[in-house]
Amino acid sequence: MTVDKVIEIIAKEAEIDKSEIKPDSSLSGELEIESMTLLTLALQFEENFNVTFKKAELPLMKTPADIAAMIEQKLQ
Amino acid sequence: MRRVAVTGCGVVSSLGYIKKVFREAVFGGKCGIRPITAFDMPIRGVKLASEVSDFDPSGYFSPKKLRYDSRYTKFARYAAADARFDAFGESGAVPDPYRCGVILSSSAGGAEQTRLNSEILEQKGADRVLPYYMSSSLSDTAAANAAVDCGAHGCCFCINTACASGSNAIGEAYLKIRDGYMDTMLAGASEASLTPLTVGGFAAMRVLYEGDDVSRASIPFDAERSGFVMGEGAGVLVLEEMEQAEKRGAHIYAEIAGYSCNCDARDLTSPDPESVARLFEAALFSAGISEDKIDYINAHGTSTLINDSCESKAINAIFPSRPLVSSSKSMLGHLLGAAGAVEALITCMAIEDGRVPPNINYSYPDGECMINVADKPVVKNIEYALCDSLGFGGHNAALIFKKYHG
Protein backbone atom coordinates (compact mmCIF):
# COMPACT_ATOMS: atom_id res chain seq x y z
CA MET A 1 0.00 0.00 0.00
CA THR A 2 1.16 3.51 -0.75
CA VAL A 3 0.78 4.66 2.83
CA ASP A 4 3.02 1.86 4.12
CA LYS A 5 5.74 2.85 1.70
CA VAL A 6 5.32 6.52 2.68
CA ILE A 7 5.70 5.59 6.36
CA GLU A 8 8.76 3.53 5.54
CA ILE A 9 10.41 6.48 3.76
CA ILE A 10 9.55 8.86 6.62
CA ALA A 11 10.91 6.43 9.22
CA LYS A 12 14.21 6.08 7.41
CA GLU A 13 14.82 9.76 6.66
CA ALA A 14 13.59 11.12 9.99
CA GLU A 15 15.17 8.27 11.95
CA ILE A 16 11.93 7.42 13.74
CA ASP A 17 10.84 3.88 14.58
CA LYS A 18 8.26 2.76 11.99
CA SER A 19 5.90 1.55 14.72
CA GLU A 20 5.60 5.12 16.05
CA ILE A 21 4.26 6.46 12.76
CA LYS A 22 0.55 6.05 12.12
CA PRO A 23 -1.27 7.06 8.90
CA ASP A 24 -2.76 10.04 10.73
CA SER A 25 0.38 11.10 12.65
CA SER A 26 1.14 14.78 12.23
CA LEU A 27 4.61 15.17 10.73
CA SER A 28 5.42 18.56 12.19
CA GLY A 29 3.33 17.96 15.34
CA GLU A 30 3.68 14.68 17.20
CA LEU A 31 6.52 13.36 15.01
CA GLU A 32 8.46 16.65 15.44
CA ILE A 33 9.91 16.53 11.95
CA GLU A 34 11.80 19.73 11.18
CA SER A 35 11.47 21.83 8.02
CA MET A 36 14.61 20.57 6.28
CA THR A 37 13.56 16.96 6.77
CA LEU A 38 10.13 17.70 5.31
CA LEU A 39 11.77 19.14 2.20
CA THR A 40 14.07 16.16 1.93
CA LEU A 41 11.09 13.82 2.27
CA ALA A 42 9.28 15.61 -0.55
CA LEU A 43 12.25 14.94 -2.82
CA GLN A 44 12.30 11.28 -1.79
CA PHE A 45 8.60 10.83 -2.51
CA GLU A 46 9.19 12.31 -5.95
CA GLU A 47 12.04 9.91 -6.60
CA ASN A 48 10.36 6.82 -5.18
CA PHE A 49 6.94 7.26 -6.78
CA ASN A 50 8.08 9.09 -9.91
CA VAL A 51 5.76 12.02 -9.28
CA THR A 52 6.27 15.76 -8.95
CA PHE A 53 5.01 17.98 -6.14
CA LYS A 54 4.24 21.62 -6.76
CA LYS A 55 5.35 24.25 -4.26
CA ALA A 56 1.75 24.88 -3.18
CA GLU A 57 1.25 21.20 -2.37
CA LEU A 58 3.98 21.00 0.27
CA PRO A 59 1.92 22.61 3.08
CA LEU A 60 -0.79 19.99 2.43
CA MET A 61 1.58 17.13 3.27
CA LYS A 62 0.57 16.95 6.90
CA THR A 63 0.20 13.22 7.59
CA PRO A 64 1.32 9.99 5.87
CA ALA A 65 -2.31 9.44 4.82
CA ASP A 66 -2.45 12.92 3.19
CA ILE A 67 0.76 12.22 1.33
CA ALA A 68 -0.34 8.76 0.19
CA ALA A 69 -3.64 10.19 -1.11
CA MET A 70 -1.81 12.92 -3.02
CA ILE A 71 0.57 10.40 -4.56
CA GLU A 72 -2.24 8.02 -5.55
CA GLN A 73 -4.13 10.85 -7.20
CA LYS A 74 -1.07 11.81 -9.22
CA LEU A 75 -0.54 8.20 -10.31
CA GLN A 76 -4.09 7.78 -11.62
CA MET B 1 36.87 51.16 27.80
CA ARG B 2 35.53 47.68 28.50
CA ARG B 3 38.11 44.89 28.72
CA VAL B 4 37.66 41.55 26.98
CA ALA B 5 38.64 38.16 28.41
CA VAL B 6 39.08 34.82 26.67
CA THR B 7 37.27 32.35 28.91
CA GLY B 8 36.81 29.28 26.75
CA CYS B 9 38.18 27.56 23.71
CA GLY B 10 37.50 24.61 21.46
CA VAL B 11 39.44 23.16 18.57
CA VAL B 12 39.22 20.51 15.86
CA SER B 13 42.46 19.74 14.02
CA SER B 14 44.77 17.12 12.62
CA LEU B 15 46.48 17.16 16.02
CA GLY B 16 43.28 16.33 17.86
CA TYR B 17 39.99 17.73 19.01
CA ILE B 18 40.42 17.04 22.70
CA LYS B 19 42.00 20.25 24.02
CA LYS B 20 44.51 18.56 26.29
CA VAL B 21 45.76 16.28 23.49
CA PHE B 22 45.93 19.21 21.07
CA ARG B 23 47.76 21.42 23.56
CA GLU B 24 50.46 18.88 24.30
CA ALA B 25 50.89 18.09 20.60
CA VAL B 26 51.29 21.73 19.59
CA PHE B 27 53.65 22.67 22.39
CA GLY B 28 55.54 19.41 21.92
CA GLY B 29 56.16 20.17 18.25
CA LYS B 30 54.17 17.31 16.70
CA CYS B 31 53.31 17.36 13.01
CA GLY B 32 49.76 16.74 11.79
CA ILE B 33 50.69 16.60 8.11
CA ARG B 34 50.13 13.23 6.38
CA PRO B 35 49.36 11.75 2.94
CA ILE B 36 45.93 12.89 1.68
CA THR B 37 43.11 10.39 2.28
CA ALA B 38 40.13 12.62 1.39
CA PHE B 39 40.33 11.68 -2.28
CA ASP B 40 42.41 9.63 -4.63
CA MET B 41 43.17 11.83 -7.58
CA PRO B 42 46.58 12.99 -8.77
CA ILE B 43 46.74 16.80 -8.65
CA ARG B 44 50.07 18.04 -9.92
CA GLY B 45 52.52 16.84 -7.25
CA VAL B 46 50.27 17.52 -4.25
CA LYS B 47 50.25 14.51 -1.95
CA LEU B 48 50.07 15.81 1.61
CA ALA B 49 47.45 17.50 3.76
CA SER B 50 46.68 18.17 7.39
CA GLU B 51 43.45 16.20 7.72
CA VAL B 52 41.16 15.68 10.68
CA SER B 53 40.89 11.94 11.24
CA ASP B 54 38.91 9.87 13.74
CA PHE B 55 36.68 12.85 14.53
CA ASP B 56 33.84 11.79 16.81
CA PRO B 57 31.45 14.61 17.74
CA SER B 58 29.09 12.30 19.66
CA GLY B 59 30.23 13.81 22.95
CA TYR B 60 28.06 16.82 22.10
CA PHE B 61 25.88 15.84 19.13
CA SER B 62 23.98 12.79 17.93
CA PRO B 63 24.52 11.80 14.27
CA LYS B 64 20.87 12.77 13.64
CA LYS B 65 21.53 16.31 14.85
CA LEU B 66 24.36 16.73 12.36
CA ARG B 67 22.91 14.86 9.37
CA TYR B 68 22.30 17.90 7.15
CA ASP B 69 25.57 19.55 8.09
CA SER B 70 28.61 19.77 5.89
CA ARG B 71 31.97 18.83 7.33
CA TYR B 72 32.97 22.38 8.15
CA THR B 73 29.73 22.94 10.10
CA LYS B 74 30.27 19.77 12.12
CA PHE B 75 33.76 20.98 13.05
CA ALA B 76 32.43 24.43 13.96
CA ARG B 77 29.53 23.16 16.07
CA TYR B 78 31.82 20.82 17.96
CA ALA B 79 34.49 23.49 18.59
CA ALA B 80 31.83 26.04 19.62
CA ALA B 81 30.17 23.58 22.01
CA ASP B 82 33.53 22.58 23.49
CA ALA B 83 34.46 26.25 23.98
CA ARG B 84 31.09 26.97 25.58
CA PHE B 85 31.30 24.10 28.05
CA ASP B 86 34.90 25.10 28.77
CA ALA B 87 33.72 28.61 29.65
CA PHE B 88 30.41 27.95 31.37
CA GLY B 89 30.86 24.56 32.96
CA GLU B 90 28.45 21.65 32.94
CA SER B 91 25.38 23.56 31.78
CA GLY B 92 27.17 25.23 28.88
CA ALA B 93 24.48 27.91 29.19
CA VAL B 94 25.41 31.39 28.00
CA PRO B 95 24.53 34.31 30.29
CA ASP B 96 21.89 36.73 28.96
CA PRO B 97 21.27 35.22 25.49
CA TYR B 98 20.25 38.54 23.92
CA ARG B 99 23.67 39.94 24.88
CA CYS B 100 25.50 36.90 23.45
CA GLY B 101 26.53 36.88 19.80
CA VAL B 102 28.25 34.51 17.38
CA ILE B 103 30.79 35.30 14.67
CA LEU B 104 31.98 32.11 13.02
CA SER B 105 33.82 32.44 9.74
CA SER B 106 34.57 30.13 6.90
CA SER B 107 36.18 30.84 3.60
CA ALA B 108 34.96 27.92 1.47
CA GLY B 109 31.91 26.82 3.49
CA GLY B 110 30.54 23.38 2.59
CA ALA B 111 32.85 22.66 -0.30
CA GLU B 112 32.13 18.91 -0.30
CA GLN B 113 28.39 19.59 -0.60
CA THR B 114 29.06 21.55 -3.76
CA ARG B 115 30.98 18.59 -5.11
CA LEU B 116 28.24 16.11 -4.14
CA ASN B 117 25.41 18.19 -5.58
CA SER B 118 27.36 18.90 -8.76
CA GLU B 119 27.51 15.15 -9.28
CA ILE B 120 23.75 14.85 -8.66
CA LEU B 121 23.17 17.68 -11.13
CA GLU B 122 25.23 15.94 -13.80
CA GLN B 123 23.82 12.46 -13.20
CA LYS B 124 20.17 13.03 -12.27
CA GLY B 125 19.37 16.59 -13.26
CA ALA B 126 18.65 19.84 -11.42
CA ASP B 127 15.34 18.54 -10.01
CA ARG B 128 17.26 16.13 -7.79
CA VAL B 129 19.59 18.63 -6.12
CA LEU B 130 19.21 18.13 -2.36
CA PRO B 131 16.98 20.55 -0.41
CA TYR B 132 19.73 21.12 2.14
CA TYR B 133 22.38 21.91 -0.46
CA MET B 134 22.07 25.67 -0.03
CA SER B 135 21.96 25.70 3.74
CA SER B 136 24.82 23.24 4.07
CA SER B 137 27.10 24.85 1.52
CA LEU B 138 26.76 28.51 2.51
CA SER B 139 29.47 29.77 4.81
CA ASP B 140 27.05 31.32 7.33
CA THR B 141 25.61 27.96 8.36
CA ALA B 142 28.19 27.25 11.04
CA ALA B 143 27.43 30.52 12.81
CA ALA B 144 23.67 29.96 12.54
CA ASN B 145 23.89 26.43 13.93
CA ALA B 146 26.17 27.44 16.77
CA ALA B 147 23.61 30.10 17.73
CA VAL B 148 20.83 27.49 17.65
CA ASP B 149 22.92 25.14 19.80
CA CYS B 150 23.23 27.63 22.65
CA GLY B 151 20.21 29.89 22.04
CA ALA B 152 22.38 32.98 21.46
CA HIS B 153 20.05 35.74 20.22
CA GLY B 154 22.63 38.49 19.77
CA CYS B 155 24.38 39.39 16.52
CA CYS B 156 25.23 36.35 14.40
CA PHE B 157 27.24 36.37 11.19
CA CYS B 158 30.09 35.01 9.15
CA ILE B 159 33.04 37.01 7.88
CA ASN B 160 34.79 35.86 4.75
CA THR B 161 38.19 37.43 4.26
CA ALA B 162 39.86 34.31 2.86
CA CYS B 163 42.75 33.26 5.08
CA ALA B 164 42.19 36.18 7.47
CA SER B 165 38.58 35.14 8.20
CA GLY B 166 39.25 33.62 11.63
CA SER B 167 41.30 36.59 12.85
CA ASN B 168 38.66 39.03 11.65
CA ALA B 169 35.94 37.02 13.41
CA ILE B 170 37.75 37.21 16.74
CA GLY B 171 38.73 40.84 16.22
CA GLU B 172 35.24 42.00 15.34
CA ALA B 173 33.79 39.99 18.24
CA TYR B 174 36.31 41.71 20.52
CA LEU B 175 35.05 45.10 19.29
CA LYS B 176 31.41 44.08 19.88
CA ILE B 177 32.19 43.54 23.56
CA ARG B 178 34.71 46.34 23.99
CA ASP B 179 32.28 48.87 22.54
CA GLY B 180 29.32 47.66 24.58
CA TYR B 181 27.14 46.00 21.95
CA MET B 182 27.49 42.50 23.43
CA ASP B 183 28.73 40.95 26.68
CA THR B 184 29.56 37.46 25.44
CA MET B 185 30.71 36.27 22.01
CA LEU B 186 31.50 32.93 20.44
CA ALA B 187 34.12 33.74 17.83
CA GLY B 188 36.25 31.72 15.47
CA ALA B 189 36.23 29.88 12.18
CA SER B 190 36.01 26.52 10.51
CA GLU B 191 37.26 25.11 7.23
CA ALA B 192 36.95 21.73 5.52
CA SER B 193 37.67 22.20 1.85
CA LEU B 194 39.93 19.28 0.99
CA THR B 195 38.22 18.48 -2.29
CA PRO B 196 39.91 17.93 -5.66
CA LEU B 197 38.38 21.19 -6.89
CA THR B 198 39.83 23.34 -4.10
CA VAL B 199 43.19 21.57 -4.05
CA GLY B 200 43.28 21.82 -7.85
CA GLY B 201 42.53 25.52 -7.64
CA PHE B 202 45.34 26.24 -5.22
CA ALA B 203 47.67 23.90 -7.12
CA ALA B 204 46.95 25.86 -10.30
CA MET B 205 48.01 29.01 -8.46
CA ARG B 206 51.31 27.21 -7.73
CA VAL B 207 51.09 27.94 -4.02
CA LEU B 208 51.00 24.36 -2.66
CA TYR B 209 53.93 22.18 -1.62
CA GLU B 210 54.40 19.43 -4.19
CA GLY B 211 56.01 16.26 -2.89
CA ASP B 212 55.73 13.69 -0.14
CA ASP B 213 58.43 14.65 2.37
CA VAL B 214 56.47 15.48 5.54
CA SER B 215 59.52 17.02 7.20
CA ARG B 216 60.15 19.45 4.29
CA ALA B 217 56.55 20.23 3.34
CA SER B 218 55.29 23.07 5.52
CA ILE B 219 58.47 24.86 6.59
CA PRO B 220 57.65 28.53 7.17
CA PHE B 221 60.60 30.95 6.92
CA ASP B 222 62.99 28.14 5.84
CA ALA B 223 65.10 28.80 2.73
CA GLU B 224 63.82 25.55 1.17
CA ARG B 225 60.12 26.39 1.53
CA SER B 226 58.11 25.96 -1.64
CA GLY B 227 54.43 26.24 -0.78
CA PHE B 228 51.78 25.56 1.82
CA VAL B 229 50.06 22.34 2.84
CA MET B 230 46.27 22.49 2.98
CA GLY B 231 44.67 21.72 6.29
CA GLU B 232 41.22 21.56 7.81
CA GLY B 233 39.71 22.16 11.23
CA ALA B 234 38.10 24.74 13.45
CA GLY B 235 38.89 26.99 16.37
CA VAL B 236 36.40 28.85 18.57
CA LEU B 237 36.98 31.19 21.51
CA VAL B 238 34.48 32.39 24.09
CA LEU B 239 35.03 36.10 24.72
CA GLU B 240 33.48 37.87 27.69
CA GLU B 241 33.39 41.32 29.09
CA MET B 242 36.01 41.26 31.84
CA GLU B 243 33.79 42.27 34.77
CA GLN B 244 31.23 39.62 33.88
CA ALA B 245 33.97 36.99 33.63
CA GLU B 246 35.61 38.01 36.91
CA LYS B 247 32.29 38.25 38.74
CA ARG B 248 31.43 34.66 37.95
CA GLY B 249 34.98 33.47 38.72
CA ALA B 250 35.69 32.33 35.16
CA HIS B 251 38.96 30.76 34.13
CA ILE B 252 40.67 33.39 32.00
CA TYR B 253 43.16 32.21 29.40
CA ALA B 254 44.23 35.69 28.35
CA GLU B 255 42.90 39.13 27.58
CA ILE B 256 42.49 40.64 24.14
CA ALA B 257 44.36 43.92 24.14
CA GLY B 258 44.18 45.09 20.54
CA TYR B 259 43.02 44.43 17.00
CA SER B 260 43.65 45.87 13.57
CA CYS B 261 42.75 45.04 10.01
CA ASN B 262 43.54 46.58 6.66
CA CYS B 263 43.73 45.81 2.96
CA ASP B 264 46.65 45.79 0.55
CA ALA B 265 44.36 47.26 -2.13
CA ARG B 266 46.99 46.39 -4.70
CA ASP B 267 47.18 42.74 -5.77
CA LEU B 268 44.88 39.86 -4.80
CA THR B 269 47.51 37.18 -4.21
CA SER B 270 50.78 38.95 -3.55
CA PRO B 271 51.07 40.49 -0.08
CA ASP B 272 52.40 43.96 0.48
CA PRO B 273 55.07 44.43 3.22
CA GLU B 274 54.08 48.08 3.67
CA SER B 275 50.44 47.17 4.43
CA VAL B 276 51.51 44.44 6.81
CA ALA B 277 53.84 46.82 8.63
CA ARG B 278 50.98 49.33 8.93
CA LEU B 279 48.78 46.50 10.21
CA PHE B 280 51.24 45.80 13.03
CA GLU B 281 51.49 49.50 13.89
CA ALA B 282 47.72 49.80 14.04
CA ALA B 283 47.42 46.75 16.31
CA LEU B 284 50.04 48.19 18.69
CA PHE B 285 48.18 51.51 18.68
CA SER B 286 44.91 49.72 19.43
CA ALA B 287 46.52 47.95 22.38
CA GLY B 288 48.21 51.17 23.51
CA ILE B 289 51.66 49.58 23.74
CA SER B 290 55.08 50.05 22.16
CA GLU B 291 56.62 47.38 19.94
CA ASP B 292 59.14 46.24 22.54
CA LYS B 293 56.30 44.94 24.73
CA ILE B 294 55.56 42.12 22.27
CA ASP B 295 57.28 38.95 23.51
CA TYR B 296 56.05 36.57 20.85
CA ILE B 297 54.54 36.67 17.37
CA ASN B 298 52.41 33.79 16.13
CA ALA B 299 52.97 34.59 12.47
CA HIS B 300 50.87 33.83 9.42
CA GLY B 301 53.97 32.05 7.99
CA THR B 302 52.43 29.94 5.24
CA SER B 303 55.65 28.46 3.83
CA THR B 304 55.15 30.12 0.46
CA LEU B 305 58.12 32.04 -0.91
CA ILE B 306 56.39 35.39 -1.08
CA ASN B 307 54.28 35.38 2.10
CA ASP B 308 57.13 34.55 4.42
CA SER B 309 59.59 37.05 2.97
CA CYS B 310 56.96 39.80 2.94
CA GLU B 311 55.85 39.09 6.49
CA SER B 312 59.48 38.95 7.67
CA LYS B 313 60.17 42.36 6.12
CA ALA B 314 57.22 43.84 7.98
CA ILE B 315 58.21 42.17 11.27
CA ASN B 316 61.75 43.50 10.97
CA ALA B 317 60.52 46.98 10.09
CA ILE B 318 58.22 47.27 13.12
CA PHE B 319 59.88 45.03 15.73
CA PRO B 320 63.58 45.92 16.05
CA SER B 321 63.50 44.25 19.48
CA ARG B 322 63.32 40.91 17.61
CA PRO B 323 60.59 38.99 19.46
CA LEU B 324 60.41 35.23 19.05
CA VAL B 325 58.37 34.21 16.00
CA SER B 326 56.81 30.89 15.07
CA SER B 327 54.20 29.71 12.62
CA SER B 328 51.81 27.01 13.78
CA LYS B 329 51.39 26.06 10.13
CA SER B 330 54.66 24.14 10.43
CA MET B 331 52.64 21.62 12.47
CA LEU B 332 49.04 22.07 11.30
CA GLY B 333 49.42 23.14 7.69
CA HIS B 334 47.25 25.99 6.46
CA LEU B 335 43.68 25.88 7.75
CA LEU B 336 42.77 28.70 5.35
CA GLY B 337 39.79 30.59 6.81
CA ALA B 338 40.17 28.78 10.13
CA ALA B 339 43.91 29.40 10.43
CA GLY B 340 43.66 32.67 12.33
CA ALA B 341 41.16 31.25 14.81
CA VAL B 342 43.21 28.18 15.67
CA GLU B 343 46.40 30.25 15.81
CA ALA B 344 44.75 32.80 18.12
CA LEU B 345 43.72 29.93 20.37
CA ILE B 346 47.32 28.63 20.38
CA THR B 347 48.55 32.13 21.21
CA CYS B 348 46.22 32.30 24.23
CA MET B 349 47.51 28.92 25.42
CA ALA B 350 51.11 30.12 24.88
CA ILE B 351 50.48 33.14 27.11
CA GLU B 352 48.75 31.07 29.78
CA ASP B 353 51.41 28.35 29.81
CA GLY B 354 54.41 30.66 29.40
CA ARG B 355 55.79 28.68 26.49
CA VAL B 356 56.32 29.44 22.82
CA PRO B 357 55.10 26.78 20.37
CA PRO B 358 57.83 25.77 17.92
CA ASN B 359 58.25 26.43 14.21
CA ILE B 360 59.12 22.79 13.54
CA ASN B 361 61.34 21.46 10.76
CA TYR B 362 63.11 24.81 10.44
CA SER B 363 66.55 23.88 9.09
CA TYR B 364 67.90 26.51 6.73
CA PRO B 365 67.62 30.23 7.52
CA ASP B 366 66.69 32.38 4.54
CA GLY B 367 68.33 35.76 3.94
CA GLU B 368 64.86 37.06 3.05
CA CYS B 369 63.43 35.95 6.41
CA MET B 370 65.96 37.07 8.99
CA ILE B 371 63.62 37.04 11.97
CA ASN B 372 63.99 35.39 15.37
CA VAL B 373 62.41 32.00 14.56
CA ALA B 374 61.65 29.74 17.55
CA ASP B 375 62.63 26.41 16.02
CA LYS B 376 62.11 24.58 19.32
CA PRO B 377 59.56 24.97 22.13
CA VAL B 378 60.75 27.77 24.42
CA VAL B 379 59.72 28.34 28.03
CA LYS B 380 59.19 32.07 28.32
CA ASN B 381 56.95 34.48 30.16
CA ILE B 382 54.75 36.16 27.58
CA GLU B 383 53.09 39.42 28.62
CA TYR B 384 51.93 40.38 25.13
CA ALA B 385 51.71 38.33 21.95
CA LEU B 386 50.66 39.28 18.45
CA CYS B 387 48.92 36.90 16.04
CA ASP B 388 48.42 37.92 12.41
CA SER B 389 46.72 36.59 9.28
CA LEU B 390 47.28 37.71 5.70
CA GLY B 391 44.60 36.55 3.29
CA PHE B 392 44.29 36.38 -0.47
CA GLY B 393 42.48 39.51 -1.54
CA GLY B 394 44.96 41.54 0.49
CA HIS B 395 42.87 41.06 3.66
CA ASN B 396 45.11 41.49 6.69
CA ALA B 397 44.20 41.18 10.38
CA ALA B 398 46.19 41.21 13.61
CA LEU B 399 45.24 40.52 17.23
CA ILE B 400 47.20 41.34 20.36
CA PHE B 401 46.67 39.17 23.41
CA LYS B 402 47.80 40.02 26.92
CA LYS B 403 48.56 37.91 29.97
CA TYR B 404 45.83 38.03 32.61
CA HIS B 405 47.12 38.88 36.09
CA GLY B 406 43.87 38.76 38.03
Side-chain angles (χ1 to χ4, degrees), chain B residues 8-10 60-61 77 79-89 91-94 146 149-151 186 236 238:
Chain B
C9 62
Y60 292 120
F61 300 102
R77 290 178 79 170
D82 202 43
R84 193 159 41 80
F85 281 90
D86 186 24
F88 302 113
S91 76
V94 297
D149 292 338
C150 66
L186 268 65
V236 177
V238 172

Side-chain angles (χ1 to χ4, degrees), chain B residues 210-295:
Chain B
E210 297 172 6
D212 55 10
D213 185 349
V214 167
S215 68
R216 304 308 294 154
S218 183
I219 46 173
F221 307 112
D222 188 293
E224 287 190 347
R225 71 190 183 280
S226 60
F228 72 80
V229 173
M230 271 180 69
E232 60 177 359
V236 177
L237 302 181
V238 172
L239 310 183
E240 281 185 79
E241 192 276 322
M242 184 64 83
E243 272 185 31
Q244 170 185 298
E246 285 178 334
K247 212 175 277 178
R248 66 179 192 84
H251 166 225
I252 295 173
Y253 284 84
E255 181 176 350
I256 303 188
Y259 163 61
S260 66
C261 63
N262 69 12
C263 183
D264 293 345
R266 195 184 61 118
D267 185 291
L268 293 194
T269 58
S270 178
D272 175 17
E274 174 66 21
S275 288
V276 181
R278 294 289 181 94
L279 176 83
F280 294 154
E281 280 180 340
L284 291 166
F285 180 78
S286 165
I289 58 171
S290 53
E291 65 79 22
D292 58 313
K293 298 284 186 211
I294 298 289
D295 297 306

Side-chain angles (χ1 to χ4, degrees), chain B residues 122-138:
Chain B
E122 292 296 325
Q123 289 163 15
K124 298 183 179 176
D127 285 352
R128 292 291 174 262
V129 169
L130 297 170
Y132 54 89
Y133 167 56
M134 292 317 300
S135 67
S136 63
S137 64
L138 295 175

